[in-house]
Amino acid sequence: MIMAPRDTAAIARDLVLVVAIVLVLGAHPGAAQLLRDDHYDATCPDVHRIVRRVLKRAHRDDARIYASLTRLHFHDCFVQGCDASILLDNSSSVVSEKFATPNNNSARGYEVVDAAKAALEVACPGVVSCADILAIAARVSVQLSGGPRWRVQLGRRDGATANINAANNLPSPFDNLTTLQQKFAAVGLGDTDLVALSGAHTFGRVQCQFVTNRLYNFSATNRPDPTLDRGYRAFLVQRCPAGGDGTALNDLDPTSPDGFDNNYYASIQKRRGFLQSDQELLSAPGAPTAPIVASFASSQKVFFRSFARSMINMGNIQPLTGTQGEIRKDCRKVNNGS
Ligand code: HEM
Ligand SMILES: *[C@@H]1O[C@H](CO)[C@@H](O)[C@H](O)[C@H]1NC(C)=O
Ligand SMILES: *[C@@H]1O[C@H](CO)[C@@H](O)[C@H](O)[C@H]1NC(C)=O
Ligand SMILES: *[C@@H]1O[C@H](CO)[C@@H](O)[C@H](O)[C@H]1NC(C)=O
Ligand SMILES: *[C@@H]1O[C@H](CO)[C@@H](O)[C@H](O)[C@H]1NC(C)=O
């Protein structure tokens, strides 16, 4: 069949369109294609700069804040998706997740999120969601701590509900590897995500109460955890004496407490993981995650690349988009709530 020139041109145009669509979709493999890194380019172009400025100011008085904010994004995304549910206070319609066991007297940084929201409401009122502020804060925090950068995906909207039961079921420091894998799989994350994201324990603090069983009475044996290095145990016994203050703070990564690097994995290989959930990644019998720990321990570059990818994966858990949810004016309450 011979085609007229106009038909050929039309087909060529269609082809270009198809190729363009494939390229655009292919640029975000695995993502729901709903979030975009340029979401606020037209409506709030300074969003990253504004969040960074607020975080840097908070960091002047609080070296731990970058770690705390990174954890908030995790605790948000694992509970009914990245919808800023963790930020809601108690109200007539909300039972706040802030008082769930993993968060109560543990999750922190809410005031800094409020400060970022306030600054954004001045610059571009009603535009930037609280869920996106958490995603941006995590990205800025990791970068300012010496970690990798990634194109943070944006366009999440804020939910109107919280779920304290789901918050109580967040991964626990006392979970074994099987349970950790199940909790990650339940939100679509795999072994590589579990190992890479656990690497966030390269910075921040942890209370004694989460290690005392490993020091003195592991699994009701009246013995220490056999997978805990003796020298590290002796160090932690000084810091966390039996019957002492369970809220006393320790560095999650004593080799570089506030820096984002791959030392966490080398520590695990030396049986110096702080939490049982950290050490399980290597020491659970036949752990399929052990080779991933080894690869991240031997190459910071490989770890950084995986961490960036897994943060994007985590940020894609069940976002509200389009006309779902709302853009909260105040991250602590739903609009028109009471
Ligand atoms: C794999 C399952 C995980 C468990 C069981 C777990 C558990 C914990 C626990 C018990 C603490 C100490 C809390 C306290 O002492 O008050 C902590 C701290 C922290 N976690 Fe995790 N975590 C997990 C995964 C993650 C993930 C995925 C991230 C982020 C991507 C993360 C980031 C952090 C950070 C940065 C801190 C320090 C926070 C601060 O200093 O305020 N964790 N985690
Ligand atoms: C919020 O509600 C929960 C559950 O009813 C309760 O345990 C907690 O103490 C309340 N917190 C405040 C600050 O009112
Ligand atoms: C949260 O912690 C406070 C102590 O700051 C405690 O009084 C309260 O009972 C805890 N709430 C829950 C629900 O465990
Ligand atoms: C892991 O923990 C779960 C829940 O506590 C338990 O049912 C399971 O037997 C444990 N698995 C292993 C391999 O220890
Ligand atoms: C060790 O833990 C078990 C179970 O939690 C408990 O019954 C036992 O009394 C504990 N031992 C000590 C010395 O506290």
Side-chain angles (χ1 to χ4, degrees):
M1 180 186 127
I2 298 169
M3 279 185 267
R6 267 182 48 199
D7 294 339
T8 316
I11 289 169
R13 247 191 345 258
D14 288 352
L15 259 178
V16 167
L17 190 66
V18 167
V19 168
I21 288 170
V22 167
L23 282 178
V24 166
L25 295 181
H28 308 287
Q33 322 297 349
L34 299 166
L35 305 179
R36 303 169 53 97
D37 62 356
D38 62 358
H39 182 80
Y40 295 113
D41 280 10
T43 52
C44 197
D46 278 339
V47 60
H48 297 278
R49 225 183 321 248
I50 291 168
V51 173
R52 183 179 292 110
R53 182 172 11 93
V54 171
L55 265 56
K56 278 183 152 175
R57 195 187 308 137
H59 186 257
R60 287 204 298 252
D61 311 316
D62 181 2
R64 180 186 176 191
I65 193 64
Y66 294 154
S68 304
L69 290 166
T70 303
R71 186 172 186 233
L72 274 191
H73 182 45
F74 159 50
H75 282 205
D76 178 31
C77 291
F78 266 60
V79 176
Q80 64 180 19
C82 313
D83 62 349
S85 56
I86 192 175
L87 301 178
L88 292 172
D89 284 338
N90 279 349
S91 71
S92 59
S93 65
V94 169
V95 178
S96 176
E97 294 168 16
K98 294 177 182 179
F99 306 98
T101 305
N103 294 331
N104 197 26
N105 304 308
S106 180
R108 60 196 294 281
Y110 303 117
E111 297 78 8
V112 179
V113 177
D114 291 339
K117 180 62 175 174
L120 288 167
E121 287 301 296
V122 171
C124 12
V127 168
V128 181
S129 69
C130 299
D132 279 348
I133 292 174
L134 290 177
I136 295 169
R139 193 213 74 147
V140 167
S141 291
V142 168
Q143 194 195 333
L144 291 176
S145 304
R149 312 169 54 132
W150 60 92
R151 287 175 186 273
V152 63
Q153 302 294 302
L154 302 169
R156 299 170 192 80
R157 291 168 64 87
D158 300 321
T161 61
N163 188 337
I164 192 165
N165 294 325
N168 275 318
N169 194 39
L170 275 160
S172 152
F174 311 117
D175 282 344
N176 62 35
L177 179 60
T178 311
T179 302
L180 292 170
Q181 287 174 306
Q182 283 167 355
K183 288 182 177 179
F184 274 65
V187 291
L189 299 178
D191 284 352
T192 303
D193 298 306
L194 168 60
V195 178
L197 293 171
S198 295
H201 292 171
T202 179
F203 63 173
R205 311 288 178 265
V206 56
Q207 302 174 54
C208 282
Q209 59 176 303
F210 298 117
V211 78
T212 40
N213 71 320
R214 300 186 74 208
L215 300 178
Y216 305 113
N217 189 4
F218 187 67
S219 303
T221 56
N222 279 315
R223 306 282 314 153
D225 183 343
T227 69
L228 178 59
D229 170 73
R230 290 171 70 103
Y232 193 42
R233 173 175 180 258
F235 169 76
L236 290 175
V237 161
Q238 300 294 311
R239 311 235 0 139
C240 303
D245 177 6
T247 69
L249 294 176
N250 304 271
D251 296 323
L252 270 165
D253 174 9
T255 62
S256 50
D258 298 315
F260 196 102
D261 53 38
N262 70 337
N263 292 341
Y264 167 84
Y265 300 100
S267 296
I268 287 179
Q269 289 194 308
K270 293 181 201 143
R271 307 178 6 133
R272 289 169 168 245
F274 190 99
L275 301 171
Q276 180 190 344
S277 55
D278 295 321
Q279 197 58 48
E280 286 277 327
L281 302 176
L282 180 81
S283 301
T289 43
I292 309 173
V293 171
S295 89
F296 294 166
S298 67
S299 168
Q300 179 155 285
K301 200 164 154 185
V302 169
F303 165 51
F304 276 13
R305 223 176 271 147
S306 280
F307 186 81
R309 205 175 298 129
S310 291
M311 284 297 279
I312 291 172
N313 293 343
M314 186 173 84
N316 271 312
I317 299 172
Q318 267 181 294
L320 299 172
T321 57
T323 57
Q324 299 171 312
E326 62 183 11
I327 305 297
R328 270 181 224 150
K329 294 191 190 75
D330 174 344
C331 291
R332 292 175 181 265
K333 51 184 193 231
V334 300
N335 298 342
N336 307 317
S338 57

